[in-house]
Amino acid sequence: MASFVIEGGHRLQGEIFPQGAKNEVLQILCATLLTDEAVTISNIPNILDVNNLIQLLRDMGVKVSKVGVDTYTFQADEVNLAYLESEEFLTRCSKLRGSVMLVGPLIARFGQAMIAKPGGDKIGRRRLDTHFLGIQKLGASFDFDAASGVFRIYADKLKGAYMLLDEASVTGTANIVMAAVLAEGTTTIYNAACEPYLQQLCKMLNSMGARISGIASNLLTIEGVSSLKGCEHRILPDMIEVGSFIGMAAMTSSEITIKNVSYQNLGIIPDSFRRLGIRLEQRGDDIFVPQQDHYEIESFIDGSIMTIADAPWPGLTPDLLSVMLVVATQAKGSVLIHQKMFESRLFFVDKLIDMGAQIILCDPHRAVVIGHDHNFRLRGGNMTSPDIRAGIALLIAALGADGISRIHNIEQIDRGYQNIEQRLTALGARITRIG
């Protein structure tokens, strides 16, 4: 198990480029199975979850060629369906959350799919009902073997249908859309997710010959087509990295410029950090965060305590609440962080409390943070990363703390952040990887 050793208390300075969006690329990679023609994807991040999915596609028989530093071509003209029955395939799916989005393309193009109950972050129950109920409405049948944790999905011919999703699941919507593009007739999806990742998937599918309307809304209409062709697609910058770097600059009183952020796709993220008192400027497609020795949390108009909560797009992504919680520990004032969508993501706060943070964990979903206003810095600590986003939040805390910190199980951070220690070291951070 690898670890980071971080010497805190150093200010950062310079420019940093966000990687390609992890949550987009996992969908896009699965969509390459929808055609037997070549699909070229650029700005692919070099991170563990993505590399594992690319290797899984290779082992399924997809021809994968690396044609640039961050660019790959995929051609699924000889998919080995027998491999889907193998123990190796199912074991690897069980360790990779994004593997569930293989179901939609496989059932649409080949009429069959097998998938093990997928793994990923330990952040509470992440049910798959939305995925399966939607694909069932298109005509697929599901068998679940509880003993092995394996789902078997079959369909002679998918047919378009109207559906109202029980939740606006991003991966669930993506899976249903990928199944529906090759279904016979028209599919209407209401309460669809409309995150930029999903918008990107729909735009890519349309460039392949799909007929999807209502993109960027929660009402998608899909007219099925008989086949799709190849295309070229570029992944958006990762909005979670952009938010992480804003928080990092504030926590360490640093001046940094975040380059090429695709500002129009950041939604409410910049204003959410402004509510914590953090100054930032849009400069073209860059974000400039000036050095701030103090930042003060806003209050609501009636004077009540500020609440920052996650919500489906265009609300605040839950992936940034861990970062915002850490940043609030050094703000002036108090804030209630309300993590509505996952019930275990706030449990890492005990590590921050050990470092000297003033946090009251009200329940699995809510925490009150009383900021130190940079009058008292956190102490270095010894901690373990429970998931990707808590991992980067703990790294930010360590960078702003006095003394030496150690973060173990950093494979969780590697799953979502590309070469993070080298990129931050270039800004002046002191991070060493051991093990």
Side-chain angles (χ1 to χ4, degrees), residues 98-111:
S99 65
V100 70
M101 287 181 288
L102 295 170
V103 171
L106 287 172
I107 199 70
R109 187 157 162 233
F110 303 107

Side-chain angles (χ1 to χ4, degrees), residues 313-354:
W313 188 269
L316 180 64
T317 170
D319 287 345
L320 275 175
L321 278 192
S322 300
V323 170
M324 300 190 81
L325 187 150
V326 166
V327 172
T329 66
Q330 290 302 322
K332 180 180 180 181
S334 301
V335 63
L336 172 65
I337 302 291
H338 192 172
Q339 168 63 269
K340 297 177 180 178
M341 295 170 71
F342 301 105
E343 65 266 23
S344 306
R345 262 193 168 162
L346 295 182
F347 288 163
F348 79 103
V349 302
D350 60 337
K351 302 170 179 64
L352 299 176
I353 293 169
D354 289 343

